[in-house]
Amino acid sequence: MTPLNTLTVIGVGLIGGSLALALKRAGAVKRVIGVGRSHANLDEALRLGLIDAALPLDEAAREADAIFVATPVAQMPRVFAALALHAKPTAVIFDGGSTKQDVVDAAREHLGAMISQFVPAHPIAGNEKTGSGAAFAELYEKRKVVLTPLPETSPQSLEKVSEIWKTCGADLRSLSPEKHD
């Protein structure tokens, strides 16, 4: 995989932090920006080396080549609305939500023309721990990640997100959002 210049992780907990660590370990990203609600969690993510900087969502979106939305599903509509205003037109956007149809509905409503840059995904991984301190680079190794690309998803976005997950060691599967749920 050609290294990403900047990855923004929105929600630096077990899921988002583990993706950042796996990509850093593989040398697949030069810089990781973290976005979150808790300053304490972001400070911990900085201390642990999960992220290189913590920025507000608008700034982090403007700088990112790839954006991983690892928030609870209920927060995604607000995040997508902000990304539509601030993300680069070349940035790929993907999520780690456990449900897909509601995420896709929110993306279609809020991302507008950027929907072609969006690749819905569901990593089948995790444990009972939360927060940045729970992240570990091996979380996705030999674990299934279900991609649910949309008819609007560009082939380039799908290829980039597939490369990201493969670099993390994931075993990729593909389903429609309807079949996933």
Side-chain angles (χ1 to χ4, degrees), residues 28-167:
V29 64
K30 295 176 184 171
R31 182 174 185 232
V32 177
I33 300 171
V35 175
R37 295 177 298 167
S38 163
H39 291 292
N41 188 63
L42 290 171
D43 289 344
E44 179 77 351
L46 282 163
R47 188 185 68 74
L48 294 170
L50 277 63
I51 60 175
D52 302 303
L55 294 174
L57 179 58
D58 59 341
E59 291 178 46
R62 280 193 291 272
E63 294 190 28
D65 302 304
I67 300 168
F68 183 44
V69 182
T71 65
V73 170
Q75 293 177 17
M76 290 187 188
R78 177 188 60 78
V79 171
F80 292 149
L83 293 178
L85 295 173
H86 302 290
K88 291 185 209 177
T90 56
V92 66
I93 302 165
F94 61 115
D95 79 297
S98 59
T99 58
K100 293 283 67 106
Q101 195 57 58
D102 51 351
V103 171
V104 167
D105 291 345
R108 281 196 170 116
E109 180 180 348
H110 296 287
L111 286 177
M114 296 182 92
I115 195 73
S116 67
Q117 298 162 233
F118 180 58
V119 183
H122 177 199
I124 314 294
N127 60 37
E128 71 284 353
K129 297 178 183 171
T130 61
S132 59
F136 60 103
E138 302 80 17
L139 178 64
Y140 302 112
E141 288 181 7
K142 298 182 178 134
R143 302 296 290 271
K144 286 186 180 94
V145 172
V146 180
L147 300 180
T148 61
L150 309 174
E152 304 95 327
T153 301
S154 75
Q156 298 85 355
S157 294
L158 180 56
E159 182 179 335
K160 177 64 82 179
V161 171
S162 296
E163 286 177 12
I164 288 169
W165 284 116
K166 286 177 188 173
T167 299

